[in-house]
Amino acid sequence: MRGDNKAFPIFRRWSYYCTEAGGVAVPDSGRTYNFSNIRYAEPPVGDLRFRAPVPPQQVNRSVDQGLVGRVCPQAGPAWYIIASEFDPAYLAGKPFNASAAEAALAAANASPPFVDPRETEDCLFLDVVVPEQIFAQIQNSTSASKGAPVLVWIYGGGYTAGEKTGGGLYNPAGLIKASQVDGSDGVIYVAPNYRLGAFGWLAGPSVQSDGTANAGLYDQRLALQWVQDNIHLFGGDPNRVTVLGESAGGGSVMHQITAFAGLAGKAPFQQAVIQSPGFQPLPGNFQQEQAFDTFLSLLNVSTLAEARQVNSSALSKANVQQVAGSPYGLFSYGPVVDGLFVPALPGKLLLQGSFDHSLKLMLGHNADEGLTFTTPFVTNDTAHDEFVKSYVPDIDPSVAGYIEDQLYPTVSNSTLYTDETGRLSLLISELAFVCNTLYLDRAFGNETFAYQFSVPPALHGQDVPYTFFNGPSTDVLSDATAIALQEYVTSFAVSGIPRGPSLPSFPLYGSNSTIINLNATSITEIMDPTANARCNTLEYPSNIPRVDQAAMDDIPPSYEAAIRRDHWSIIAEYVRSSDDLCAASRVCKRWHQIYAPLLWGNPASHFGTENDRVYVALTRFKRSLKWVRYGVRSLTHTLHLPPAQAELYDGPHPGWLRDVLLKLPNLQSLVVSQLPFFDHASLLALRTPSTNNGEGEGNKQPSSFPLRLLIATQCANTTQRSLGDALIAFPNLVFLDLSRTSGARDPKVLSKLRAMSSLQILKLSGIQLRDADVVILADAIGFKIRSLDVRDNFLTDNSVRTLLHWCLKTLDKPNHASASRPRGLSGAAEEDWPSGILKPDPAVLDEFRDESFDERYLKRLTQGLVSRMPSEDQAHAGVTHLYIADNRLTIEGLSSLVKSSSLHVLDAGTVDTTRLFHRSALSSSTLPSDLQIPRFGLPGAEKLTPVLAKHSRENLTSLRINHTIVTKRATLKAEQPGPEPEIFELSSDSARNELETPAPSYELPDDQAVRFELAGDPVHFVLSPAIGPKPEDEQPVNRRQTHRTSIYAPEVAVDPEEAEEDEVPVLTATGLSPDAQSMNGVRSPKMECLSADDSRTARSRSPSPHLSLSIISRERQEMRSAQYSEPHGLLPSMLPRLRSLTLTDVPGYDENGQVIDALIQFIRYCAAEAELARLQVEVEARAWVSSQFHYPKPTSQAIRDIFALRRIILEISPTTVLSPSSSVFPNSPISPQTPKSTFRTLSSTGDADSEAFWAAQENDFSFFDDNEECGLPSIEPGTQMPLSSLSEKMTVISDDTPTSASQRPQQPKTEAVARDVVQELIRFRKDRKAAYEDAVRLGRRRTVEGYWPGEVKVVRRQGGRNATRVDFYGNLFEKG
């Protein structure tokens, strides 16, 4: 029956009939209307047999009086008979009479099976029970009602038995009464049938080639969709639907939550009460094909098409026979992994975040779920092992062994059970039932309600009579417990919180795993017994130790892996052309499933770079949304609209954005930067209901949209009002970029960020933020933001203090659990992680530390549908990636940020302390000359050196700061860090064989593009070009003799006869021959070096790994001590976790060589640190090999763990060559010798002749000199002081030694030639690389002084950040 107003009179006729004949009496609560046997699908017979259900094609106008029952074909396993004898005996402590059980089984097999006369394949009907007062409200069409909550029951029965009424057991009268205890109208109850056994769960590749696997799940899905479409006609609210399922019903609901890996939109319900969710984990196809072949053989047919021709009675008989022969504890049928509805086991999908996160859950399990399914014939360890392998056929042998030996050990090694029956019962209980509830708790961030049913004996299914309690019964031992359970369930359905007038409060599951325990005498809070190491290990099977890889190589791939290899899905990722994608998607159904998501996922990504082609394609895409099917539109996840006028997009109307969002239900990324019609009108239209929502999609506009990424930079037509209203519609945003967008600074906009609980990346650069705005911003975002970009604003140190207080977790605000502290969606901080629960993947945690955090999120959200982001499983850590360059901060402000010790990435840019300090003094002409403040040099970025070394040693991975941090010497020697031996010294009693297996390494590619944060139009070079001629030999450097000859550490083998008795083996510099060492400028050692060719022979003479590590440690200490003892800037050893260092405003030319020498020396230090790290890893690896173990880390990852720096980026400032007589203010961005045309503006008249005249005088002759223009002093910016200060005595002091004018020595300067910084670095890098390759060619060890394998990039900023512009077509132009 379709959900339209025309069908309403029919329901009225039903209601009058049911009042007299079909009503269900509710004691003390009036009456209900029972609408029985409402068809929700076409009869699944004939060609529809073994296929997904089809909605009714016609409306049946006749009245179904509900007198004829509708039951899907039933079946049951024969072991039920044995269980009925064994379970009572075992619980009573009596011996099991196996002979009597076998005799009962033989008698049952001898008699014909019972066939319920109501059984029919045409069984896809549902019942609706409506309380009288709710239905009365819809009798009068003028009565306004928001709709009553709905409770949908999914019955259990092992996926082979059960029906919507349960033979009278599932009477909802008690539930409806419980929902009315607070005086409300109660709930509407709905119960559908779904196909069972072979009719609903036949699966396998053969079935999927001509049918549908998991047809029973599709039945349930269609019934739930029927509720969404039609329940309002009964007075129900489709937005308040709660699904209740037990056993197979609970397992079905679990599969509905993870349906299609969460990629098909939200589930057709909002809440779920899941009781004892159970299913057999069958991820492979072998068992599915085996069950299918058995069914065909029982039918005496060979294909699925032939099975469709067999009559229903024969099918039912074969189904009964097959299910009856099921192994003990199993049912032969149930949900399986089919690659579509069930792409993986639900536990895995929950762990991956591939499910509907919008739901609210209440979960329950019984105290003893497993005994019912435990065979009495497993009496020893061997039989137990065989049962485990048969229960989970695809289990890895090493995993099976670990489960049997460690998780559920033998009876003699465990205190959890006393016999094999108890051991097996616990395994089945946790593997098939109770651990599923734990997986749901964890997946939903512990924001669930959970309980345990403990009324003795609390076997599986014994809670069902309590759920459907309708008065005293022999199946209910405690009426009070039954009433309490009903009130908890129905109140959750009504309000989302389980509670009752006289019941104890129901706590959230929380990080402490708190549940309530329902027993016969009381209701108490306990810790969830499923939160144990066994369930945790079963959820994270990758942490189970595996057999040696060499042994695993002999094991052939599984059947599932062999048949699921699909080359086309691999090739599809490399098909970029829209024409090719469109053609491939039309070849066949399989190819359509592969290529259609790529074609529709991001429509603007595969139309090339031609502007017209992109605009035409996007315009057609927008037009096609009116008639494209919902399932196809659901594939679109990203929409990028390049900037253009509205006419190029077919003239979008003000409601274009709203209509696009409504038509694309799974749109998660929207990029509209510089789009003129992303404006005030389009944003305000989000609040206006659309008049064209599409067919079959309901008539209500959602209050919010599932957008997760919004990039709307430089949108000039927005307003603060429209932005504020629009952000309310996007509560799920993870990535938000409003840089340089009008109105983004407004307090109304900033305050709306409070409602975005998942927001992780926020970019607000260039929106003119002030300190007062940061107060509002910080209060809104709190600790939830990880990456914050506020570059190019007007922030001062006051903003730093605000961020430190509200958004950064500093040392004085430790990350301890507290009620007031904002929590992550997981509910637990890292150090609060519950005992026994595995911590997050180290690779994921490393992503949060890296500078590519923003880029990875952008890539993840624009390359495919994402159900769950990694941040949703982590606690709120506060801002860890801060981009705050180009503001009005001082060095003291940056120092406060560094001292927080919480930043992983800091973009500080260049801070001109001198300019900020003198801004007001130098512009004032009212003070007497004797009170004018003289200009003197203040410490710059170099002041941060000791602060960084002390507070950022372990956390900072990326730093962008002025070049003086390296090229100037730190002057505050009292704060300079000295050597810390305890940090570098390795324990001598550690062979390091117990290191844990690390996460996989993620190396940065050599061709990685320049970071997108850098402004302007960068041009970069990699300073590792092809080498030139071999360098000339140099004389050995005379150095002071020391006990060790170098800081480098290859091992040395010394002849025992030549060594002194107390001599300690030492490390040579390079391992090269004396000639090669001379060529590289390294003193030749006195001792013989161990070459690569001699390593095998001399291994027996090498020092022990312990001794070698100790030598390397001492070499590192002495090297760093020597570095600290001299004046220095930032040293690589101060930040060993730093991966990328960006130095800003590096001068292009260096007059005195100070910058060049400092940069080269820094690279030399990096080379030394990297070489010592490499040698240390080699020694450690040899120690592992000598112990007959494999080194647990990739070499590159192990080296990075010791010294991480791999990239130096030099941002060259746009200056010209400095003359020897140049004299500039400290930190001045330009030279007095810079041509005036660089800063001269156009003439005020804009006259072409005047401009030509200026050009001629610059290029042909000099009518004016450099110091005057038309007889007036020059006032060009940067060349002289302002006019107001010309009458005052000004003094220019050198950077290093501030003095007064009278004390400044007047000495003639020696003319020097400015050196090109980039060319000098290229020359040095080429020389060191040539030396390294020569050493490799000589077959010696690879140690070469000064050779660093890292990357040095040069970025030339052309005229500053505003020197380019972008037209409406997205083309980039340089101004001028």
Side-chain angles (χ1 to χ4, degrees), residues 600-867:
W600 285 85
N602 186 354
S605 65
H606 41 255
F607 291 103
T609 58
E610 299 179 9
N611 294 319
D612 292 342
R613 181 174 172 83
V614 174
Y615 296 135
V616 169
L618 289 176
T619 301
R620 291 177 177 174
F621 170 79
K622 176 176 171 290
R623 291 177 179 176
S624 68
L625 295 180
K626 299 178 181 179
W627 49 265
V628 174
R629 290 174 297 151
Y630 178 86
V632 176
R633 287 185 278 115
S634 299
L635 298 175
T636 302
H637 55 76
T638 299
L639 185 59
H640 180 193
L641 300 176
Q645 293 291 359
E647 291 76 10
L648 291 178
Y649 287 110
D650 196 23
H653 54 86
W656 72 270
L657 179 59
R658 173 200 60 210
D659 293 344
V660 165
L661 293 173
L662 289 173
K663 291 294 184 181
L664 301 177
N666 289 331
L667 186 67
Q668 68 182 19
S669 301
L670 179 64
V671 183
V672 290
S673 295
Q674 305 180 52
L675 197 65
F677 51 89
F678 183 82
D679 54 9
H680 175 81
S682 65
L683 294 177
L684 288 183
L686 293 176
R687 303 182 307 176
T688 306
S690 175
T691 58
N692 185 21
N693 283 4
E695 297 79 3
E697 298 180 28
N699 53 10
K700 293 185 178 181
Q701 176 171 319
S703 58
S704 63
F705 301 95
L707 206 63
R708 312 193 77 177
L709 178 144
L710 175 60
I711 299 180
T713 62
Q714 302 184 51
C715 294
N717 296 329
T718 59
T719 63
Q720 57 267 31
R721 176 191 171 193
S722 60
L723 273 179
D725 291 347
L727 290 180
I728 298 177
F730 308 131
N732 300 321
L733 282 178
V734 176
F735 191 117
L736 176 60
D737 188 351
L738 297 177
S739 299
R740 295 176 175 81
T741 291
S742 303
R745 173 195 167 194
D746 190 84
K748 295 180 180 179
V749 177
L750 299 178
S751 61
K752 295 299 189 297
L753 301 176
R754 184 190 303 274
M756 300 178 185
S757 60
S758 300
L759 190 62
Q760 292 291 296
I761 300 169
L762 178 62
K763 296 182 180 295
L764 298 173
S765 64
I767 62 172
Q768 303 182 17
L769 281 175
R770 265 74 172 181
D771 293 338
D773 303 321
V774 173
V775 174
I776 301 173
L777 173 65
D779 180 62
I781 64 177
F783 287 153
K784 64 186 176 186
I785 299 292
R786 287 183 180 268
S787 178
L788 178 62
D789 185 350
V790 288
R791 290 175 294 180
D792 194 18
N793 285 295
F794 299 97
L795 308 184
T796 69
D797 290 355
N798 290 330
S799 295
V800 171
R801 285 189 287 270
T802 302
L803 293 175
L804 286 171
H805 180 74
W806 291 100
C807 304
L808 273 73
K809 291 193 173 179
T810 57
L811 293 177
D812 59 337
K813 293 182 291 185
N815 193 17
H816 295 309
S818 65
S820 61
R821 173 183 143 217
R823 310 292 294 184
L825 297 182
S826 62
E830 288 182 28
E831 62 277 359
D832 298 335
W833 217 258
S835 176
I837 303 296
L838 296 180
K839 292 185 178 181
D841 187 350
V844 174
L845 293 180
D846 185 74
E847 177 179 325
F848 293 123
R849 299 170 60 90
D850 196 75
E851 65 174 336
S852 63
F853 175 73
D854 297 11
E855 184 180 349
R856 292 187 185 186
Y857 264 57
L858 177 65
K859 183 177 180 180
R860 184 180 284 115
L861 288 169
T862 56
Q863 289 192 345
L865 286 169
V866 178
S867 296

